[in-house]
Amino acid sequence: MIDIGNSKYLPALLFAVFFFFIETPAMFEADTIDGRQAVIMFDEKVDNELLEQYSESIEYIFQEIPAASITVTDVQKKALEMSPDVVSITYDMPIKSSAQAIPYGYKMVGTQSLVPATLTGSGVKIGVLDSGIDASHPDLQNRIAGGACMMTIVDKSGCPDSYNDDSGHGTHVAGIIAANNNTFGTIGVAPSSKLYAIKVLDEYGYGTTSTMIAGVEWAIKQKMDILNVSITTPVNEIALQEVMQKAYNSGILIVAAAGNTGAPVSGSTSSVEYPAKFESVIAVSSIDQYKKIDPLSSLGKEVELTAPGVKIYSTYPQSIHASGYQYLSGTSMAAPYVTGLAALYKEKYPEMTNVQIRSLLQKNAVDLGAAGRDAYFGFGLVQVDKNPINHEINVPYTTDAKGKVIFDTSVLSARFGTFNVYRGETLVGKNETGDKWIDYASQGTVTYYFHPVVNGIEDEVSFITLKATIEEPKISDLRATKWYDRYMMYLYHEKIMTGFNDGTVRPEAGITRGEASVLIGQSLGFDGAVRDTSFKDVTANVASSGYVQSLLDAGIVTGFSDGTFRPGTPVTRSEMAILIARAYKVAPVESGTVKDITAKVTGYQYINGIIAANIAGGYADGTFRPSAHINRAEFSAFLARAINEEIR
């Protein structure tokens, strides 16, 4: 990739990573005079004029990322690389299914002990990114809900039979996931799930980066729940990484084969291949019937789970193998076991996000090898979730139509003593012991999880789920599923934040010094009657004037050296810390753990103080960013936490 001066990291460059397995034909190594297919990725958007000028032809323009599949000569490729708008341009290289030729894993992953026993993956949409699926196979009847073939991107005649499998690999993977529970053949882990065949490999098991990306884009548009990728490449490609991350961010759980390259070579710590190596993907290694690692399985810190992958019996196109079944080995066979189990989890816990299901898969895995996560088995052998739904515990709740939700947790406290509460994925109640627990929410449906705490340790796999439906109040620009909803609704309930004349609260809008003064003044019960103030720019004509003067009299706010208050100026994070710390008498702290807060930062003691009091926090990179402006939602969260310790 070319580094164009100081241009920013080029995420949009053509990324035409060619996935290859075992060997790369010499034709891909030599310079070319004739055109060759490549993937080009741009910084922001595809430049059609540039491509028309410097390519033989434009084969396909991707829709989810700023990239295209084009045919170029070496000279044209070099010219395109010089464009500052191009992030990457790479010739398409082959991708290949991750399996060798030559199953039993159904019992190993616990599918004979389902709780409840009726789980079958019903209604769960699974995209199988592979060589297609034989929809006519007797053991896959009614399992294939649809599909698409992407091979025309590299060959105009590449989809003669739509997404039908002419290789065998995709049908074998499909059978492990969802072969019918009938009187013949084999049985899949999730035999009632809906499979979608996304054909990105040809009859020889090869495809390209272009077909792969297009396949993932299709899965995003079709709103798949899970994507199985039994395909690998040793090449780290920006575009592939970006489209996988976009799929994950859209809510798709992605499961992929770690690869069949064996242990890392000397000097390397990982042999896991892409896309399994990406953070957005669950990398799966392979074990045999004795729970021993497959010698050919790729290994490394990226391995997240392991599953049976040696001599797995599954469906196969009858046009290729007369019996319609075949034994195959490899991480390609291990990945669909995880995919099938993930479908059972999704059916059992339909309200869970892909992130939550991923976490639960990790927690339920049977640890193998070294204690904890390791480079061989990851968190361990993937397993069904054997916990009874809600342990037959009911958690009643009531609402007051003003934003307050009151939960009757008496049964929880009697059964477990101590429990943690999650609102979606966020911990909102830690080490609770009471018979009542309170939250705040606007109109909508909110999912809560109550986890027992035993000897100070949260039971991560045994929990009670509750979907609370809140009828009132309805605020047009608030959603119960947003992280800030509980904080803004608390202020609304306490009549501190009343909103604007149009009925909105504008959570994403910035907040000014004047607006912040109103909120803090109202929370403290100060006199807000408009009047002239000690500041020359805050007269009785300024709506916040009464609260500004009251806060000044209380020593909470100060002005600038020129005698102004500047009520219309946006509030910074450091100003927020000073205001809240002074208003609620939060003890200042001289030193803290946030790396960009030093004695040189105005109000550093207040910032350290509110962090120590768990009123505010820093960012994932360890910074606080004191000069950054905050919006109304963020300010509301800090203010609500300062007022009410129960919601910190």
Side-chain angles (χ1 to χ4, degrees), residues 415-457:
R415 176 81 71 88
F416 304 122
T418 305
F419 56 92
N420 288 342
V421 187
Y422 287 81
R423 179 169 171 165
E425 299 172 34
T426 305
L427 178 64
V428 293
K430 187 174 182 180
N431 294 329
E432 301 291 342
T433 57
D435 291 342
K436 181 174 68 174
W437 186 78
I438 296 173
D439 197 23
Y440 298 85
S442 62
Q443 184 187 63
T445 300
V446 185
T447 301
Y448 293 90
Y449 300 93
F450 300 86
H451 287 255
V453 175
V454 181
N455 297 323
I457 300 175

Side-chain angles (χ1 to χ4, degrees), residues 275-347:
K277 202 165 186 172
F278 295 139
E279 188 175 344
S280 58
V281 180
I282 296 175
V284 185
S285 66
S286 169
I287 57 175
D288 62 19
Q289 60 266 47
Y290 306 109
K291 300 180 182 178
K292 302 295 183 184
I293 199 74
D294 178 0
L296 294 178
S297 177
S298 295
L299 309 174
K301 62 182 177 60
E302 299 86 1
V303 171
E304 191 164 323
L305 295 167
T306 195
V310 178
K311 296 184 180 179
I312 303 298
Y313 184 70
S314 186
T315 50
Y316 216 71
Q318 291 179 308
S319 60
I320 301 175
H321 197 281
S323 71
Y325 299 89
Q326 181 64 284
Y327 286 94
L328 293 180
S329 294
T331 56
S332 276
M333 286 58 255
Y337 274 107
V338 176
T339 294
L341 286 180
L344 300 183
Y345 279 57
K346 185 65 178 176
E347 180 188 10

